[in-house]
Amino acid sequence: MTPLARARHRLKAHPLALDSALAAAVLLCMLAGSFIDPHGDRGVSWSLRSPDPLSLLLITLGGVALVLRRIAPLAVLAVTGACSVAESVTGDPRAPVAMSAVIALYTVASTTDRPTAWRVGLLTMTVLTGAAMLAGPLPWYAQENVAILAWTGIGATAGDAVRSRRAVVRAIRERAERAERTREEEARRRVAEERLRIARDLHDVVAHHIALVNVQAGVAAHVMDKRPDQAKEALAHVREASRSALNELRATVGLLRQSGDPEAPTEPAPGLYRLDELAGTFRNAGLRVEVARSDHGTELPAAVDLAAYRVVQEALTNVRKHAGPEARAEVSVVRVGPHIEVTVLDDGAGDVPASEDGGGHGLLGMRERVTALRGALTTGPRYGGGYRVHAILPVETRSAVPEDSA
């Protein structure tokens, strides 16, 4: 930010200070003008003169009143207008007290509506110009009187133009904010509707066919010894129901595919067996990664294996993005009783990864994936710097359906 922009920002943050500075500048201009006499014996001479004490008093009152121009614009206009009228009637030579009235009129026009601005502007022009022409010591056609008419008109017009511009900018900003909120709300609504539709479809498919499979499997188990032919028929129904369920699930999930997605996966789902390869890709990207494992010989379910791999992948991605170029990451996979614990630590000093509240989806996706497997995920900054991601996953998923007690 440039020094000028910084100063403008500070002045906008303190409007009373800005008005005080403006009042001081106008006061100095009026004082300087009161000591200059543009009319000499031989035309324009710009010689010095001594202003009247009353003129100095009116100049001071008009300048000081401008300090409150934002707080009470109409009252300030009345005070400065009265000072200008008094100076126009009594001042000879005349001092430029009307400058304060022009600034006050500009403030009124820029802070009120258009009808008020034009009514007040016309009234101010009429009173100040009429008093100067009819009761002043100068001829009615003097250039000082014409100047009062011109400057009051300019002040009212400029204030109305500034007010109109501010209104247009405010309307554009509000329209943009409203459009942004509408887009976000529409996106959230569509996502919620799509999730609800997919959940409803999956529930219908799974609930119907799995119920059939459960019933037919129970029948087959009951008549297996006494009536094997009926058991074979029940198992055939089980096979047919499971095939129908798979086909409908494939069709439902296929709706989520993008146009460029392959029809079927060409390689098995990733797991911890590819952890060294994953660490190698991050090392090639410039991140120092150390891997320590004590889970050799542990057979993990496919879902748990995939979830552990995704947790490490997302955590290392966050380290690469947020921890800084000199960060170092440590990955550990440990078997602790009936659980597998995956920990990713880093010593970076960069930004903390975006959380669920901050709009990021990485940590939220990890948490949902781990929670779906009845696991636990803890994340947070480390004491002394860095970040820690710790996931506890069950070695065996509880997917079996309890048998009926009958």
Side-chain angles (χ1 to χ4, degrees), residues 118-347:
W118 284 110
R119 285 196 296 266
V120 173
L122 289 175
L123 179 62
T124 304
M125 292 170 59
T126 302
V127 173
L128 267 62
T129 307
M133 289 183 175
L134 298 178
L138 298 177
W140 67 270
Y141 54 83
Q143 61 180 5
E144 286 84 351
N145 298 335
V146 179
I148 292 177
L149 177 66
W151 281 109
T152 51
I154 291 174
T157 305
D160 183 71
V162 170
R163 181 200 54 78
S164 300
R165 180 182 178 279
R166 290 174 181 171
V168 171
V169 172
R170 190 183 307 112
I172 294 175
R173 185 181 296 110
E174 292 176 355
R175 191 181 302 114
E177 293 176 355
R178 192 184 312 111
E180 184 66 23
R181 288 194 301 268
T182 303
R183 281 196 298 268
E184 293 177 356
E185 292 173 358
E186 180 67 16
R188 286 194 295 267
R189 185 186 64 80
R190 291 186 179 182
V191 169
E193 290 180 354
E194 185 66 14
R195 286 181 175 178
L196 181 61
R197 185 192 64 79
I198 295 172
R200 188 185 299 113
D201 292 343
L202 291 177
H203 175 269
D204 293 342
V205 172
V206 173
H208 174 68
H209 292 288
I210 296 303
L212 292 178
V213 168
N214 186 33
V215 172
Q216 296 295 335
V219 171
H222 183 69
V223 301
M224 179 67 71
D225 296 331
K226 297 180 180 180
R227 287 174 287 180
D229 294 338
Q230 189 174 356
K232 289 181 180 179
E233 183 180 355
L235 291 176
H237 289 304
V238 170
R239 182 179 181 183
E240 184 64 26
S242 61
R243 182 185 296 112
S244 299
L246 288 175
N247 291 335
E248 293 191 26
L249 285 174
R250 187 179 298 110
T252 302
V253 176
L255 296 176
L256 304 179
R257 292 182 180 273
Q258 302 294 330
S259 59
D261 291 345
E263 294 296 330
T266 57
E267 58 181 8
L272 292 178
Y273 70 92
R274 296 179 56 183
L275 185 57
D276 292 334
E277 177 184 349
L278 177 64
T281 59
F282 282 94
R283 292 192 187 101
N284 294 334
L287 178 64
R288 294 176 294 173
V289 182
E290 296 180 5
V291 179
R293 300 185 63 175
S294 61
D295 64 324
H296 300 289
T298 302
E299 293 291 337
L300 295 178
V304 175
D305 202 15
L306 176 60
Y309 178 86
R310 295 303 187 195
V311 167
V312 175
Q313 184 182 43
E314 182 62 30
L316 290 179
T317 301
N318 285 337
V319 173
R320 184 72 180 85
K321 291 168 57 179
H322 303 288
E326 302 298 327
R328 183 172 57 88
E330 299 177 3
V331 181
S332 64
V333 181
V334 182
R335 170 72 181 270
V336 180
H339 298 93
I340 192 84
E341 295 188 9
V342 178
T343 307
V344 180
L345 307 174
D346 71 84
D347 58 355

